[in-house]
Amino acid sequence: MANRFVESYRNWRQYRDTYNELMRLSQRDLSDLGINRVDIPAIARQAARR
């Protein structure tokens, strides 16, 4: 059970870190990367699963 908690916490941190990092980028930077701002939550979820 503790392992599940630790894994969930790590996934949440990875999601949060990715989300915040992408949200700090300008619209132009996101456009250069081919990312729409509305896609950031999905991208962050995908990064957290790895």
Side-chain angles (χ1 to χ4, degrees), residues 1-48:
M1 181 156 153
N3 288 339
R4 247 191 314 174
F5 175 75
V6 170
E7 185 67 24
S8 292
Y9 178 74
R10 285 183 185 150
N11 289 344
W12 173 77
R13 286 291 308 258
Q14 181 65 44
Y15 172 85
R16 190 184 70 165
D17 292 346
T18 303
Y19 179 88
N20 288 337
E21 187 173 337
L22 289 173
M23 288 301 283
R24 281 193 292 266
L25 294 176
S26 69
Q27 188 60 42
R28 182 174 182 131
D29 291 335
L30 290 172
S31 180
D32 288 346
L33 294 170
I35 298 173
N36 292 320
R37 201 164 290 278
V38 297
D39 297 329
I40 291 175
I43 293 168
R45 275 192 304 275
Q46 188 175 30

